[in-house]
């Protein structure tokens, strides 16, 4: 494998900022880095400081809007799970 071919493959895995749709290879790389980052967060009790390399890779390989979407989706899923386990607890002012 030549240096230009390796560089081409590396660039192909990174998300372009030109606004074009990501390729299948880019989407796969994005999803893999997302999964690795979220798995690290799960193992480290959501301490992002212990998952810096995974976060950096996630930010590099996914469009910013995707990172925002995936992060919000994960947070909402955790909220849903907690709500299902604990049930709805109204705020003090709602009890009046």
């Amino acid at each position: 494998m030549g240096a230009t071919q390796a560089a081409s493959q590396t660039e192909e895995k990174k998300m372009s900022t030109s606004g074009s749709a990501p390729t299948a290879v880019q989407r796969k790389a994005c999803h893999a880095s997302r999964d690795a980052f979220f798995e690290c967060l799960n193992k480290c009790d959501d301490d992002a400081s212990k998952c810096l390399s995974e976060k950096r890779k996630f930010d590099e390989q996914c469009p910013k809007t995707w990172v925002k979407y995936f992060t919000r989706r994960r947070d909402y899923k955790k909220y849903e799970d907690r709500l299902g386990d604990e049930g709805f607890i109204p705020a003090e002012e709602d009890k009046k």
Side-chain angles (χ1 to χ4, degrees), residues 10-17 26 29-30 33-34 52-64 67:
T10 301
E11 286 301 314
E12 194 174 54
K13 288 183 180 179
K14 290 184 179 178
M15 286 290 145
S16 68
T17 56
Q26 290 170 326
C30 172
S33 64
R34 173 204 60 195
L52 294 177
S53 63
E54 290 87 351
K55 172 67 171 151
R56 186 176 60 250
K57 192 171 183 180
F58 178 43
D59 288 336
E60 288 173 356
Q61 294 189 338
C62 298
K64 288 180 183 182
V67 170

Side-chain angles (χ1 to χ4, degrees), residues 78-92:
K78 288 181 69 173
Y79 167 76
E80 274 186 329
D81 292 344
R82 193 180 83 227
L83 189 62
D85 292 342
E86 299 172 9
F88 176 71
I89 301 171
E92 288 298 317

Side-chain angles (χ1 to χ4, degrees), residues 15-61:
M15 286 290 145
S16 68
T17 56
S18 65
S20 61
T23 65
V25 172
Q26 290 170 326
R27 288 191 308 272
K28 188 174 183 178
C30 172
H31 293 159
S33 64
R34 173 204 60 195
D35 294 345
F37 175 55
F38 289 168
E39 183 178 331
C40 179
L41 286 176
N42 291 338
K43 288 180 181 177
C44 297
D45 293 324
D46 287 336
D47 185 357
S49 66
K50 296 180 181 178
C51 303
L52 294 177
S53 63
E54 290 87 351
K55 172 67 171 151
R56 186 176 60 250
K57 192 171 183 180
F58 178 43
D59 288 336
E60 288 173 356
Q61 294 189 338

